[in-house]
Amino acid sequence: MSAHPYDHGHTVAGWTGCGIAVVGTSVLGAGVCTVSAPLLVAGAVVDVLALLVTWVLHLVGWGKPSGPRPREEWSWRVRDSGARVGHAKCLGCRLAGRKGGAVVVTAPVPVTASGERAERVERAGADAVGAGG
């Protein structure tokens, strides 16, 4: 990679979607210059196709969420391990019906007055939810 200590977020989904969108925008530009409705429609269709292709690639693991990731996942050739459950605060994952973030059980909370032990459960990227007594 580079000498920078952070991930630039380059992904297969990002590069593929960008490449298709450049072609679609070029066709749109040609349509504007030639005042051609068929070229305008074709360019718009290709741009929508770019959006859909990027979304599908993101959902199958070739796109990654924003924010820091482990160094071993920095390469664009590595699939995202969290794609199946969805990414927290990701519109694409929410549109696909994925909740975002795995459930993590953290340190136990002290024993309650009734003698039951309660555990604190947090959802990655979401508010804490109490479970138990």
Side-chain angles (χ1 to χ4, degrees), residues 56-64 78-81 83-84 98:
V56 168
L57 286 172
H58 172 78
L59 293 176
V60 297
W62 289 112
K64 298 175 184 172
V78 177
R79 290 182 77 171
D80 180 23
S81 58
R84 288 189 185 267
R98 297 179 180 175

Side-chain angles (χ1 to χ4, degrees), residues 1-26:
M1 198 79 183
S2 66
H4 300 290
Y6 49 85
D7 180 15
H8 291 284
H10 303 295
T11 64
V12 172
W15 283 107
T16 304
C18 184
I20 296 170
V22 165
V23 171
T25 304
S26 298

Side-chain angles (χ1 to χ4, degrees), residues 9-122:
H10 303 295
T11 64
V12 172
W15 283 107
T16 304
C18 184
I20 296 170
V22 165
V23 171
T25 304
S26 298
V27 173
L28 271 170
V32 168
C33 291
T34 60
V35 191
S36 170
L39 281 179
L40 290 171
V41 170
V45 167
V46 172
D47 278 343
V48 170
L49 178 69
L51 177 71
L52 294 174
V53 166
T54 304
W55 184 38
V56 168
L57 286 172
H58 172 78
L59 293 176
V60 297
W62 289 112
K64 298 175 184 172
S66 61
R69 288 182 289 281
R71 193 182 240 341
E72 58 273 3
E73 291 185 11
W74 282 11
S75 173
W76 64 273
R77 295 176 186 95
V78 177
R79 290 182 77 171
D80 180 23
S81 58
R84 288 189 185 267
V85 293
H87 304 112
K89 300 180 182 177
C90 175
L91 176 63
C93 290
R94 283 184 296 182
L95 288 173
R98 297 179 180 175
K99 301 292 183 194
V103 175
V104 178
V105 177
T106 60
V109 178
V111 176
T112 63
S114 64
E116 296 178 13
R117 192 175 96 168
E119 292 186 354
R120 199 174 88 195
V121 178
E122 292 183 10

